[in-house]
PDB file of all heavy atoms in Angstrom:
ATOM      1  N   LEU A 288       6.487  -1.217 -10.689  1.00 95.00           N
ATOM      2  CA  LEU A 288       6.635  -2.284  -9.706  1.00 95.00           C
ATOM      3  C   LEU A 288       6.122  -1.846  -8.336  1.00 95.00           C
ATOM      4  O   LEU A 288       5.477  -2.619  -7.627  1.00 95.00           O
ATOM      5  CB  LEU A 288       8.101  -2.710  -9.607  1.00 95.00           C
ATOM      6  CG  LEU A 288       8.405  -3.879  -8.681  1.00 95.00           C
ATOM      7  CD1 LEU A 288       7.704  -5.138  -9.168  1.00 95.00           C
ATOM      8  CD2 LEU A 288       9.896  -4.096  -8.582  1.00 95.00           C
ATOM      9  N   GLY A 289       6.363  -0.592  -7.982  1.00 97.00           N
ATOM     10  CA  GLY A 289       5.855  -0.070  -6.720  1.00 97.00           C
ATOM     11  C   GLY A 289       4.339  -0.034  -6.686  1.00 97.00           C
ATOM     12  O   GLY A 289       3.721  -0.379  -5.671  1.00 97.00           O
ATOM     13  N   ILE A 290       3.722   0.385  -7.789  1.00 97.00           N
ATOM     14  CA  ILE A 290       2.259   0.438  -7.861  1.00 97.00           C
ATOM     15  C   ILE A 290       1.660  -0.962  -7.789  1.00 97.00           C
ATOM     16  O   ILE A 290       0.671  -1.197  -7.084  1.00 97.00           O
ATOM     17  CB  ILE A 290       1.804   1.176  -9.138  1.00 97.00           C
ATOM     18  CG1 ILE A 290       2.162   2.658  -9.024  1.00 97.00           C
ATOM     19  CG2 ILE A 290       0.316   0.995  -9.384  1.00 97.00           C
ATOM     20  CD1 ILE A 290       1.937   3.439 -10.303  1.00 97.00           C
ATOM     21  N   VAL A 291       2.274  -1.910  -8.494  1.00 97.00           N
ATOM     22  CA  VAL A 291       1.788  -3.294  -8.452  1.00 97.00           C
ATOM     23  C   VAL A 291       1.955  -3.874  -7.056  1.00 97.00           C
ATOM     24  O   VAL A 291       1.056  -4.545  -6.535  1.00 97.00           O
ATOM     25  CB  VAL A 291       2.515  -4.160  -9.511  1.00 97.00           C
ATOM     26  CG1 VAL A 291       2.232  -5.635  -9.304  1.00 97.00           C
ATOM     27  CG2 VAL A 291       2.094  -3.746 -10.905  1.00 97.00           C
ATOM     28  N   GLY A 292       3.087  -3.610  -6.418  1.00 97.00           N
ATOM     29  CA  GLY A 292       3.314  -4.094  -5.057  1.00 97.00           C
ATOM     30  C   GLY A 292       2.317  -3.517  -4.068  1.00 97.00           C
ATOM     31  O   GLY A 292       1.778  -4.227  -3.217  1.00 97.00           O
ATOM     32  N   PHE A 293       2.052  -2.205  -4.171  1.00 97.00           N
ATOM     33  CA  PHE A 293       1.075  -1.570  -3.292  1.00 97.00           C
ATOM     34  C   PHE A 293      -0.320  -2.140  -3.529  1.00 97.00           C
ATOM     35  O   PHE A 293      -1.055  -2.405  -2.572  1.00 97.00           O
ATOM     36  CB  PHE A 293       1.069  -0.047  -3.517  1.00 97.00           C
ATOM     37  CG  PHE A 293       0.036   0.671  -2.714  1.00 97.00           C
ATOM     38  CD1 PHE A 293       0.194   0.847  -1.348  1.00 97.00           C
ATOM     39  CD2 PHE A 293      -1.107   1.164  -3.320  1.00 97.00           C
ATOM     40  CE1 PHE A 293      -0.764   1.501  -0.593  1.00 97.00           C
ATOM     41  CE2 PHE A 293      -2.073   1.823  -2.583  1.00 97.00           C
ATOM     42  CZ  PHE A 293      -1.902   1.990  -1.212  1.00 97.00           C
ATOM     43  N   SER A 294      -0.691  -2.346  -4.782  1.00 96.00           N
ATOM     44  CA  SER A 294      -2.007  -2.908  -5.099  1.00 96.00           C
ATOM     45  C   SER A 294      -2.147  -4.326  -4.550  1.00 96.00           C
ATOM     46  O   SER A 294      -3.200  -4.691  -4.020  1.00 96.00           O
ATOM     47  CB  SER A 294      -2.235  -2.916  -6.607  1.00 96.00           C
ATOM     48  OG  SER A 294      -2.210  -1.617  -7.107  1.00 96.00           O
ATOM     49  N   LEU A 295      -1.086  -5.109  -4.659  1.00 97.00           N
ATOM     50  CA  LEU A 295      -1.115  -6.477  -4.131  1.00 97.00           C
ATOM     51  C   LEU A 295      -1.241  -6.467  -2.615  1.00 97.00           C
ATOM     52  O   LEU A 295      -2.026  -7.245  -2.041  1.00 97.00           O
ATOM     53  CB  LEU A 295       0.141  -7.227  -4.558  1.00 97.00           C
ATOM     54  CG  LEU A 295       0.248  -8.683  -4.126  1.00 97.00           C
ATOM     55  CD1 LEU A 295      -0.876  -9.498  -4.764  1.00 97.00           C
ATOM     56  CD2 LEU A 295       1.596  -9.246  -4.514  1.00 97.00           C
ATOM     57  N   LEU A 296      -0.521  -5.584  -1.957  1.00 96.00           N
ATOM     58  CA  LEU A 296      -0.608  -5.465  -0.507  1.00 96.00           C
ATOM     59  C   LEU A 296      -2.010  -5.029  -0.073  1.00 96.00           C
ATOM     60  O   LEU A 296      -2.587  -5.590   0.864  1.00 96.00           O
ATOM     61  CB  LEU A 296       0.436  -4.470  -0.015  1.00 96.00           C
ATOM     62  CG  LEU A 296       0.535  -4.275   1.483  1.00 96.00           C
ATOM     63  CD1 LEU A 296       1.108  -5.522   2.140  1.00 96.00           C
ATOM     64  CD2 LEU A 296       1.389  -3.070   1.787  1.00 96.00           C
ATOM     65  N   LEU A 297      -2.568  -4.036  -0.765  1.00 93.00           N
ATOM     66  CA  LEU A 297      -3.907  -3.556  -0.442  1.00 93.00           C
ATOM     67  C   LEU A 297      -4.963  -4.640  -0.671  1.00 93.00           C
ATOM     68  O   LEU A 297      -5.866  -4.829   0.148  1.00 93.00           O
ATOM     69  CB  LEU A 297      -4.231  -2.324  -1.282  1.00 93.00           C
ATOM     70  CG  LEU A 297      -5.495  -1.560  -0.955  1.00 93.00           C
ATOM     71  CD1 LEU A 297      -5.378  -0.931   0.426  1.00 93.00           C
ATOM     72  CD2 LEU A 297      -5.725  -0.482  -1.984  1.00 93.00           C
ATOM     73  N   PHE A 298      -4.848  -5.381  -1.767  1.00 94.00           N
ATOM     74  CA  PHE A 298      -5.788  -6.464  -2.065  1.00 94.00           C
ATOM     75  C   PHE A 298      -5.710  -7.560  -1.002  1.00 94.00           C
ATOM     76  O   PHE A 298      -6.747  -8.067  -0.540  1.00 94.00           O
ATOM     77  CB  PHE A 298      -5.512  -7.046  -3.454  1.00 94.00           C
ATOM     78  CG  PHE A 298      -6.366  -8.224  -3.801  1.00 94.00           C
ATOM     79  CD1 PHE A 298      -7.691  -8.051  -4.155  1.00 94.00           C
ATOM     80  CD2 PHE A 298      -5.852  -9.508  -3.758  1.00 94.00           C
ATOM     81  CE1 PHE A 298      -8.495  -9.136  -4.475  1.00 94.00           C
ATOM     82  CE2 PHE A 298      -6.638 -10.593  -4.064  1.00 94.00           C
ATOM     83  CZ  PHE A 298      -7.960 -10.410  -4.426  1.00 94.00           C
ATOM     84  N   THR A 299      -4.501  -7.917  -0.600  1.00 95.00           N
ATOM     85  CA  THR A 299      -4.327  -8.959   0.413  1.00 95.00           C
ATOM     86  C   THR A 299      -4.917  -8.519   1.755  1.00 95.00           C
ATOM     87  O   THR A 299      -5.624  -9.283   2.419  1.00 95.00           O
ATOM     88  CB  THR A 299      -2.838  -9.295   0.576  1.00 95.00           C
ATOM     89  OG1 THR A 299      -2.306  -9.669  -0.697  1.00 95.00           O
ATOM     90  CG2 THR A 299      -2.630 -10.423   1.563  1.00 95.00           C
ATOM     91  N   TYR A 300      -4.633  -7.271   2.150  1.00 93.00           N
ATOM     92  CA  TYR A 300      -5.169  -6.738   3.407  1.00 93.00           C
ATOM     93  C   TYR A 300      -6.695  -6.742   3.387  1.00 93.00           C
ATOM     94  O   TYR A 300      -7.336  -7.197   4.338  1.00 93.00           O
ATOM     95  CB  TYR A 300      -4.639  -5.316   3.617  1.00 93.00           C
ATOM     96  CG  TYR A 300      -5.138  -4.642   4.862  1.00 93.00           C
ATOM     97  CD1 TYR A 300      -4.481  -4.811   6.073  1.00 93.00           C
ATOM     98  CD2 TYR A 300      -6.265  -3.825   4.842  1.00 93.00           C
ATOM     99  CE1 TYR A 300      -4.931  -4.184   7.233  1.00 93.00           C
ATOM    100  CE2 TYR A 300      -6.719  -3.205   5.997  1.00 93.00           C
ATOM    101  CZ  TYR A 300      -6.049  -3.387   7.175  1.00 93.00           C
ATOM    102  OH  TYR A 300      -6.502  -2.775   8.303  1.00 93.00           O
ATOM    103  N   TYR A 301      -7.293  -6.247   2.303  1.00 93.00           N
ATOM    104  CA  TYR A 301      -8.749  -6.166   2.213  1.00 93.00           C
ATOM    105  C   TYR A 301      -9.384  -7.562   2.183  1.00 93.00           C
ATOM    106  O   TYR A 301     -10.428  -7.788   2.785  1.00 93.00           O
ATOM    107  CB  TYR A 301      -9.151  -5.366   0.970  1.00 93.00           C
ATOM    108  CG  TYR A 301     -10.626  -5.067   0.913  1.00 93.00           C
ATOM    109  CD1 TYR A 301     -11.185  -4.089   1.716  1.00 93.00           C
ATOM    110  CD2 TYR A 301     -11.471  -5.781   0.073  1.00 93.00           C
ATOM    111  CE1 TYR A 301     -12.540  -3.813   1.682  1.00 93.00           C
ATOM    112  CE2 TYR A 301     -12.827  -5.515   0.038  1.00 93.00           C
ATOM    113  CZ  TYR A 301     -13.345  -4.530   0.836  1.00 93.00           C
ATOM    114  OH  TYR A 301     -14.684  -4.273   0.802  1.00 93.00           O
ATOM    115  N   THR A 302      -8.742  -8.485   1.477  1.00 93.00           N
ATOM    116  CA  THR A 302      -9.275  -9.844   1.400  1.00 93.00           C
ATOM    117  C   THR A 302      -9.279 -10.512   2.771  1.00 93.00           C
ATOM    118  O   THR A 302     -10.268 -11.149   3.162  1.00 93.00           O
ATOM    119  CB  THR A 302      -8.455 -10.679   0.405  1.00 93.00           C
ATOM    120  OG1 THR A 302      -8.502 -10.056  -0.875  1.00 93.00           O
ATOM    121  CG2 THR A 302      -8.997 -12.082   0.293  1.00 93.00           C
ATOM    122  N   ILE A 303      -8.186 -10.368   3.502  1.00 93.00           N
ATOM    123  CA  ILE A 303      -8.139 -10.939   4.853  1.00 93.00           C
ATOM    124  C   ILE A 303      -9.179 -10.266   5.735  1.00 93.00           C
ATOM    125  O   ILE A 303      -9.878 -10.925   6.516  1.00 93.00           O
ATOM    126  CB  ILE A 303      -6.725 -10.802   5.436  1.00 93.00           C
ATOM    127  CG1 ILE A 303      -5.755 -11.700   4.682  1.00 93.00           C
ATOM    128  CG2 ILE A 303      -6.714 -11.145   6.922  1.00 93.00           C
ATOM    129  CD1 ILE A 303      -4.304 -11.488   5.044  1.00 93.00           C
ATOM    130  N   TRP A 304      -9.300  -8.955   5.606  1.00 92.00           N
ATOM    131  CA  TRP A 304     -10.218  -8.168   6.431  1.00 92.00           C
ATOM    132  C   TRP A 304     -11.668  -8.590   6.218  1.00 92.00           C
ATOM    133  O   TRP A 304     -12.453  -8.730   7.151  1.00 92.00           O
ATOM    134  CB  TRP A 304     -10.016  -6.704   6.086  1.00 92.00           C
ATOM    135  CG  TRP A 304     -10.754  -5.700   6.894  1.00 92.00           C
ATOM    136  CD1 TRP A 304     -11.268  -5.823   8.146  1.00 92.00           C
ATOM    137  CD2 TRP A 304     -11.035  -4.360   6.495  1.00 92.00           C
ATOM    138  NE1 TRP A 304     -11.850  -4.651   8.548  1.00 92.00           N
ATOM    139  CE2 TRP A 304     -11.716  -3.736   7.544  1.00 92.00           C
ATOM    140  CE3 TRP A 304     -10.771  -3.626   5.349  1.00 92.00           C
ATOM    141  CZ2 TRP A 304     -12.141  -2.416   7.484  1.00 92.00           C
ATOM    142  CZ3 TRP A 304     -11.178  -2.317   5.296  1.00 92.00           C
ATOM    143  CH2 TRP A 304     -11.854  -1.725   6.350  1.00 92.00           C
ATOM    144  N   VAL A 305     -12.051  -8.795   4.956  1.00 92.00           N
ATOM    145  CA  VAL A 305     -13.457  -9.047   4.625  1.00 92.00           C
ATOM    146  C   VAL A 305     -13.802 -10.532   4.633  1.00 92.00           C
ATOM    147  O   VAL A 305     -14.893 -10.915   5.061  1.00 92.00           O
ATOM    148  CB  VAL A 305     -13.788  -8.410   3.252  1.00 92.00           C
ATOM    149  CG1 VAL A 305     -15.160  -8.801   2.778  1.00 92.00           C
ATOM    150  CG2 VAL A 305     -13.657  -6.912   3.339  1.00 92.00           C
ATOM    151  N   ILE A 306     -12.896 -11.387   4.187  1.00 93.00           N
ATOM    152  CA  ILE A 306     -13.235 -12.796   4.017  1.00 93.00           C
ATOM    153  C   ILE A 306     -12.791 -13.652   5.203  1.00 93.00           C
ATOM    154  O   ILE A 306     -13.518 -14.549   5.636  1.00 93.00           O
ATOM    155  CB  ILE A 306     -12.643 -13.334   2.700  1.00 93.00           C
ATOM    156  CG1 ILE A 306     -13.294 -12.609   1.524  1.00 93.00           C
ATOM    157  CG2 ILE A 306     -12.841 -14.829   2.573  1.00 93.00           C
ATOM    158  CD1 ILE A 306     -12.736 -12.961   0.174  1.00 93.00           C
ATOM    159  N   VAL A 307     -11.610 -13.387   5.745  1.00 92.00           N
ATOM    160  CA  VAL A 307     -11.066 -14.265   6.783  1.00 92.00           C
ATOM    161  C   VAL A 307     -11.524 -13.860   8.186  1.00 92.00           C
ATOM    162  O   VAL A 307     -11.904 -14.714   8.984  1.00 92.00           O
ATOM    163  CB  VAL A 307      -9.521 -14.295   6.699  1.00 92.00           C
ATOM    164  CG1 VAL A 307      -8.937 -15.102   7.831  1.00 92.00           C
ATOM    165  CG2 VAL A 307      -9.074 -14.848   5.360  1.00 92.00           C
ATOM    166  N   LEU A 308     -11.501 -12.569   8.483  1.00 92.00           N
ATOM    167  CA  LEU A 308     -11.786 -12.123   9.855  1.00 92.00           C
ATOM    168  C   LEU A 308     -13.169 -12.485  10.394  1.00 92.00           C
ATOM    169  O   LEU A 308     -13.297 -12.713  11.605  1.00 92.00           O
ATOM    170  CB  LEU A 308     -11.571 -10.620   9.981  1.00 92.00           C
ATOM    171  CG  LEU A 308     -10.125 -10.185  10.150  1.00 92.00           C
ATOM    172  CD1 LEU A 308     -10.055  -8.697  10.400  1.00 92.00           C
ATOM    173  CD2 LEU A 308      -9.436 -10.922  11.251  1.00 92.00           C
ATOM    174  N   PRO A 309     -14.210 -12.545   9.582  1.00 91.00           N
ATOM    175  CA  PRO A 309     -15.501 -12.954  10.162  1.00 91.00           C
ATOM    176  C   PRO A 309     -15.482 -14.358  10.756  1.00 91.00           C
ATOM    177  O   PRO A 309     -16.313 -14.685  11.602  1.00 91.00           O
ATOM    178  CB  PRO A 309     -16.471 -12.879   8.979  1.00 91.00           C
ATOM    179  CG  PRO A 309     -15.876 -11.859   8.088  1.00 91.00           C
ATOM    180  CD  PRO A 309     -14.395 -12.046   8.214  1.00 91.00           C
ATOM    181  N   PHE A 310     -14.521 -15.192  10.352  1.00 93.00           N
ATOM    182  CA  PHE A 310     -14.456 -16.562  10.857  1.00 93.00           C
ATOM    183  C   PHE A 310     -13.472 -16.712  12.010  1.00 93.00           C
ATOM    184  O   PHE A 310     -13.285 -17.810  12.523  1.00 93.00           O
ATOM    185  CB  PHE A 310     -14.079 -17.518   9.719  1.00 93.00           C
ATOM    186  CG  PHE A 310     -15.086 -17.515   8.607  1.00 93.00           C
ATOM    187  CD1 PHE A 310     -14.814 -16.890   7.399  1.00 93.00           C
ATOM    188  CD2 PHE A 310     -16.322 -18.112   8.782  1.00 93.00           C
ATOM    189  CE1 PHE A 310     -15.741 -16.878   6.384  1.00 93.00           C
ATOM    190  CE2 PHE A 310     -17.256 -18.102   7.759  1.00 93.00           C
ATOM    191  CZ  PHE A 310     -16.966 -17.485   6.566  1.00 93.00           C
ATOM    192  N   VAL A 311     -12.830 -15.609  12.417  1.00 91.00           N
ATOM    193  CA  VAL A 311     -11.878 -15.642  13.525  1.00 91.00           C
ATOM    194  C   VAL A 311     -12.578 -15.070  14.763  1.00 91.00           C
ATOM    195  O   VAL A 311     -13.354 -14.118  14.658  1.00 91.00           O
ATOM    196  CB  VAL A 311     -10.620 -14.806  13.171  1.00 91.00           C
ATOM    197  CG1 VAL A 311      -9.653 -14.768  14.333  1.00 91.00           C
ATOM    198  CG2 VAL A 311      -9.938 -15.356  11.925  1.00 91.00           C
ATOM    199  N   ASP A 312     -12.277 -15.629  15.910  1.00 93.00           N
ATOM    200  CA  ASP A 312     -12.880 -15.142  17.163  1.00 93.00           C
ATOM    201  C   ASP A 312     -12.600 -13.660  17.342  1.00 93.00           C
ATOM    202  O   ASP A 312     -11.509 -13.175  17.040  1.00 93.00           O
ATOM    203  CB  ASP A 312     -12.318 -15.904  18.368  1.00 93.00           C
ATOM    204  CG  ASP A 312     -12.794 -17.348  18.410  1.00 93.00           C
ATOM    205  OD1 ASP A 312     -13.874 -17.617  17.859  1.00 93.00           O
ATOM    206  OD2 ASP A 312     -12.074 -18.184  18.985  1.00 93.00           O
ATOM    207  N   SER A 313     -13.587 -12.936  17.859  1.00 88.00           N
ATOM    208  CA  SER A 313     -13.464 -11.484  17.975  1.00 88.00           C
ATOM    209  C   SER A 313     -12.437 -11.055  19.015  1.00 88.00           C
ATOM    210  O   SER A 313     -11.969  -9.916  18.986  1.00 88.00           O
ATOM    211  CB  SER A 313     -14.815 -10.861  18.294  1.00 88.00           C
ATOM    212  OG  SER A 313     -15.293 -11.371  19.514  1.00 88.00           O
ATOM    213  N   ASP A 314     -12.046 -11.925  19.915  1.00 91.00           N
ATOM    214  CA  ASP A 314     -11.031 -11.561  20.911  1.00 91.00           C
ATOM    215  C   ASP A 314      -9.626 -11.972  20.493  1.00 91.00           C
ATOM    216  O   ASP A 314      -8.676 -11.798  21.254  1.00 91.00           O
ATOM    217  CB  ASP A 314     -11.385 -12.171  22.269  1.00 91.00           C
ATOM    218  CG  ASP A 314     -11.491 -13.684  22.218  1.00 91.00           C
ATOM    219  OD1 ASP A 314     -11.563 -14.240  21.117  1.00 91.00           O
ATOM    220  OD2 ASP A 314     -11.509 -14.304  23.303  1.00 91.00           O
ATOM    221  N   HIS A 315      -9.463 -12.465  19.275  1.00 92.00           N
ATOM    222  CA  HIS A 315      -8.138 -12.850  18.771  1.00 92.00           C
ATOM    223  C   HIS A 315      -7.302 -11.606  18.511  1.00 92.00           C
ATOM    224  O   HIS A 315      -7.823 -10.542  18.166  1.00 92.00           O
ATOM    225  CB  HIS A 315      -8.291 -13.674  17.482  1.00 92.00           C
ATOM    226  CG  HIS A 315      -7.056 -14.419  17.107  1.00 92.00           C
ATOM    227  ND1 HIS A 315      -6.059 -13.855  16.375  1.00 92.00           N
ATOM    228  CD2 HIS A 315      -6.673 -15.698  17.380  1.00 92.00           C
ATOM    229  CE1 HIS A 315      -5.089 -14.739  16.193  1.00 92.00           C
ATOM    230  NE2 HIS A 315      -5.447 -15.880  16.795  1.00 92.00           N
TER     231      HIS A 315
END
């Protein structure tokens, strides 16, 4: 459960970092 939770957290962080952030203003 810990490994799955860590993987889910890492996937969510990376997805936001790569997919969402390019569309957010750089001074946000």
Side-chain angles (χ1 to χ4, degrees):
L288 184 63
I290 291 172
V291 169
F293 176 73
S294 298
L295 182 63
L296 183 70
L297 189 66
F298 176 76
T299 304
Y300 179 87
Y301 188 76
T302 301
I303 292 171
W304 186 22
V305 172
I306 296 176
V307 175
L308 280 186
F310 299 106
V311 177
D312 290 334
S313 60
D314 59 346
H315 196 274

